Amino acid sequence: MNISARTVVEKMEEELMQLAEKVDRKEEAVVKEHARVLKAYCDIILASDESKRNRNTDTVETAKISSKTAGIKQSSIETKQVNSSSAARTTSEIPSSDGNLLEF
């Protein structure tokens, strides 16, 4: 659910008015309850800011991972090409093992 910050602030103002009334009447338990509600509203606003930052960070991290993965794939392809050409050279350089090596 997407709640606008303006809506949360309006609810906070209502809660603050109720809190002020209860402070004037010295109703300590009710004051603490209203204070907790205000804290919860603050947490909602802070959490929405944090989730926006996390989404931006996740996008950047995904881009970094994608570029690293592309680099690894390219490096892997180049390594395979070098290994296959090395294998071709190696097989031509190895003497034939046909026959018995002990025969003179």
Side-chain angles (χ1 to χ4, degrees):
M1 180 179 357
N2 202 2
I3 302 171
S4 73
R6 171 61 34 209
T7 303
V8 175
V9 169
E10 288 171 2
K11 292 292 186 180
M12 289 175 74
E13 289 172 345
E14 291 173 16
E15 197 66 35
L16 189 58
M17 295 297 287
Q18 293 174 7
L19 176 65
E21 271 181 38
K22 301 304 177 185
V23 167
D24 290 342
R25 294 183 187 171
K26 298 185 183 191
E27 298 178 25
E28 189 176 326
V30 180
V31 167
K32 288 182 179 182
E33 182 181 324
H34 286 290
R36 284 187 194 98
V37 171
L38 281 169
K39 181 180 178 193
Y41 284 133
C42 291
D43 290 341
I44 290 170
I45 292 173
L46 292 172
S48 72
D49 286 344
E50 187 176 309
S51 70
K52 286 178 187 175
R53 273 188 256 127
N54 286 342
R55 275 188 246 136
N56 290 339
T57 303
D58 289 346
T59 303
V60 171
E61 289 299 319
T62 302
K64 287 179 182 178
I65 290 170
S66 295
S67 67
K68 286 181 181 179
T69 303
I72 290 170
K73 287 180 182 176
Q74 182 63 31
S75 173
S76 176
I77 290 169
E78 291 171 359
T79 303
K80 286 180 183 176
Q81 289 172 347
V82 169
N83 286 343
S84 65
S85 64
S86 295
R89 274 187 280 137
T90 308
T91 54
S92 63
E93 294 172 1
I94 297 175
S96 173
S97 60
D98 295 338
N100 191 346
L101 292 176
L102 298 176
E103 289 181 1
F104 295 98

